[in-house]
Each structure stands twice: as C-alpha cells, then as structure tokens.
Amino acid sequence: MIMLPSVGIFGTDSHAQIIISLFKAAGFPVTAVWGQTLEKAKSLANELKISFYTTKIDELLLHNEVDIVCVSGTPHQYAQVCVKALSIGKHVFSSIPAGLTLKDANQMLEAAQYYPKLLSVLNHPLRFLAAFIEAKKLLSSGYCGDLIVCECSIHTTSLVKQNYDWQCDGSMGGGMLQTYGSHIIDILAFLTDKRAIEVQGTLETFTKQRDDMPMFRHISSDDFCSFQLKYPNDVQACVTLNSHLPSGFLQELMLIGKKGFLKIVNCNLYGQTKGSSEVESLYMEEYENGSLYDSFQDLVPGMYLFGLEQLIEGVKMAFESMQDSSVSADRRNADHNLISTAANFENGCHTRAVLDAIVKSHEKRAWVPVKQQNDASPPFWSVKESLLQENNKSTHLSQDLHKKSPVTNKKMK
C-alpha cells in the first residue's frame, strides 16, 4: 500500500483552507496547522479534523508527523518558514510571491540548493493547465514563428474583502501586482523560455477607503496595475491587471509571432497562422465544478483552482513513483524529474526581481533593468540533479565500504 507523506499547513486564511482541501482530496494526510492565534488555529483544526494545532512555528516544523510544509498566510513570513523547514529536512510547498524582497527570495533559493533531495515548489498553477502546456509545445515547434509581442490582461473583482488584512497593504504583499502579476511574469517566462531584462510599470490605488471599514483604515495596495516587459531578441510584453469588475474573472494571454499567434482565454487555447482565414480552437478545457470549486470560486478563480489541483496531483505522482511493494520504501522520497515543470525557488527569484523592478519603475517613472541571477551559475534543476547524483554515489560507496568492513562481516557471522 502506498503511503503519502504527511502535510503541515502554515496559515489559517481562506487560501490555507483551499490548500488543505485539495491536499486531502489528493489523498495526503494533513496532520498539523499553525495559526497566528490559538483561537484561529483551533477553529480551523476542528473544522477540517486536523489533530494538531499550534501558534509556535517550530512546533509545527519539528512535528514528527509533518513531512511537507505548505506555507500560506502573510507573505512576509514565507522566507523564514521555508528556510527553516528545508534546514530540518522538510519538503516545502510555498505560496507566492517568494518573499517580500529579493533578499528573501535568494535565502529561499540558497536553502533549496543546499538540500537538493527536498522538494521546494512554488504555487504557480498555470504551468499545469493543459492550454498553457500545449501553447508551450506549439511555440517550441514554430507555430508562431519568431515571437514579437505578448499581451496579457486580467479583469476581476476587488481583492480587498470586508475585513482589513494584508491584502489591503502593499508593503505586506497585497495588491494586483503581487497576487496576479507574479503568476503572469512566471507563466511568460515558462512559455517563452525567456527572462525579462527591463521593465516599466504603473501602479494605482483608486479605492483607498471602503464604507464597510473603519475610517482610520487606509488601503495602500494597488487595485490597478499596468507594466511592460522587455526580453532578449527584442520581444516585448504588455500586461494590464484590473480589479474593478463588479463580478466575474477574465484572463487573456496572446502570443504573437511572425508566422501567427496563440491566444489563451482562461483555460481555452486558440490560434491562427498566416495564410489561414479563421481562428482555430486548439484546446478547450473541460472540468467539472465539484463541491470544492463551488466553495472557493469566490476566493480564487476556477482556472487557478483547477491548476492548483493538477499541481498537487503532480506532487503526489512524484512521491508515489518512488514507492514500490517493498516494506522499506520511504514515503518521504520524491522523484524530482516528475515535478520539474513546477516553478522552483530560482524561478521565484526572477519573478521577485521583476516585481521589485516594476515597483521601482513606478517610483522613478522610467524604464528599470531587472536584476539578473549570475549568468555563470548553472540552472536550478541542473544543480539539483548533479547534487542528487553525488549524494547517491556517496550513499552507494558508504554501503559498499560497510559491506567490506571486517567489523561488519564479523557481526554478520
């Protein structure tokens, strides 16, 4: 029987509830939850039937029945929890963005590279939607020819709810740029295999106060954002993020090349090549709205929920593939190759650098270069793979020496 690793959740907000529900639906046992207050932690634990709850970070991280730490809640704590979790041997599944500063993101990356056997995954679900996977294949095969322009827009309702929380504060990671801009920056890098080198952006807070909040509460997070990205080979992207719709959610992404274009509307993929008179439907997503979608669609768009579900299924496959019928199989081992499509902490560093550059551009009212990772350093997964191979070699060597040891042979006799 396959045993999946146990999950501990850091956070009690609505996003933490979504993550708990989806991990449970995938068959992972959720054994512990951390909350800022004992009341919140106990309430969520009782509601979702979780045996252990605490307000102390170390108690959750050191819990024997926690193998994967899922980090939700407020972004200013992501880096601290992720680095600590990796340092004591726990796999990490983190919400985005990767910390509030590039320093935070680099600390997370260093910890992930130092412990290569552990999964370190960021919650960027668009990478696991079939429309985006198919679009990446078509781009690679030359469907659009040389890429020229990328255009993206998101139109949705306000991210600010009735209660004042971190989403109201830009310095705490709230706003359209951090919440949805992170996903768009990441998916553009994923689709094009390019990283932005220069940005220009504008952030606006049109709604600074709300009638259902106390007068002394002021909203500082952006509810509208527009930015441009420059990539190598003269490729440019234009992104608009708007949270002023009364209801609904619409995301459109267009990739235009010299031979044609691809357009992804929510989860559906369309395309047209030069010489063709009609736009063809290349992929139409069909997923059933179950109880989970009905419960959480007001909090997170359905396409992001579906992508997150697929991402968690990918994590599940990574652990299942390392187990067999033998009793000695360790449920904590994962096949990193099966989850290599997921956004890792190196991707998070780039996204964080672009976000910081956009904010800086808004302040300076000018184009700003994106701080790049050291070009001389190998890619994250290459480092991970080489370190894993070295660890496996050293493990086999130590086992061979142990077998040849006279002391060991004497004991065996």
Side-chain angles (χ1 to χ4, degrees), residues 305-338:
L305 279 174
F306 186 58
L308 177 55
E309 184 181 42
Q310 301 306 305
L311 169 54
I312 291 172
E313 282 295 325
V315 173
K316 179 182 178 180
M317 288 176 59
F319 284 104
E320 284 183 336
S321 68
M322 296 296 285
Q323 298 190 40
D324 51 31
S325 57
S326 64
V327 181
S328 60
D330 190 341
R331 70 175 191 270
R332 293 168 296 181
N333 292 335
D335 185 344
H336 293 248
N337 292 320
L338 290 180

Side-chain angles (χ1 to χ4, degrees), residues 368-386:
V368 171
V370 177
K371 189 172 183 180
Q372 301 294 325
Q373 293 290 113
N374 184 4
D375 293 334
S377 61
F380 178 75
W381 284 108
S382 298
V383 174
K384 213 171 183 63
E385 188 178 1
S386 63

Side-chain angles (χ1 to χ4, degrees), residues 400-410:
D400 291 342
L401 290 172
H402 183 69
K403 287 177 183 177
K404 294 176 181 178
S405 169
V407 177
T408 305
N409 293 334
K410 202 170 186 180

Side-chain angles (χ1 to χ4, degrees), residues 172-189:
M172 292 289 286
M176 288 295 288
L177 176 62
Q178 306 276 354
T179 303
Y180 285 112
S182 298
H183 291 301
I184 299 307
I185 293 163
D186 178 75
I187 200 63
L188 286 174

